[in-house]
Amino acid sequence: MTQAENRAAANAWHEERRRQRDAEARVKAVEAELVELDRLRSYLIRERTAGYTRRLIDAIDDYVEQITGDPTRLHAKNHSIG
């Protein structure tokens, strides 16, 4: 392998590692955001004293759908049929 080929291979490897680290960081950021949104959503469900909570919960669900593709990601999963 020539020196130029070696450099090209090393650059490609570094780019791939950078892409993998960026993807891992994005996954961690989304998970942290989901934890905070779940906390806020749970609080809004428990404290239904204000009339605007339904709109906020719907907005949270819409945002969660945008970042995960699943609008029910934060909904309770403890219900089982059968």
Side-chain angles (χ1 to χ4, degrees):
M1 199 184 263
T2 67
Q3 188 175 10
E5 291 171 333
N6 221 4
R7 266 191 234 121
N11 286 338
W13 183 81
H14 285 296
E15 282 297 318
E16 179 61 21
R17 285 295 299 147
R18 184 177 302 126
R19 188 193 63 74
Q20 288 175 350
R21 282 193 302 267
D22 290 346
E24 290 169 2
R26 177 69 182 142
V27 166
K28 287 180 184 178
V30 166
E31 289 299 322
E33 195 168 2
L34 287 173
V35 167
E36 292 300 317
L37 287 170
D38 188 37
R39 183 183 301 165
L40 175 60
R41 188 175 187 280
S42 297
Y43 172 78
L44 290 172
I45 288 172
R46 281 192 318 271
E47 306 295 326
R48 287 186 177 256
T49 56
Y52 55 82
T53 57
R54 185 74 249 163
R55 287 180 286 182
L56 288 173
I57 292 169
D58 290 342
I60 290 170
D61 289 343
D62 291 343
Y63 181 66
V64 168
E65 182 178 14
Q66 285 179 353
I67 63 175
T68 65
D70 181 12
T72 62
R73 176 78 181 258
L74 299 181
H75 293 202
K77 302 291 186 208
N78 58 353
H79 295 89
S80 175
I81 299 174

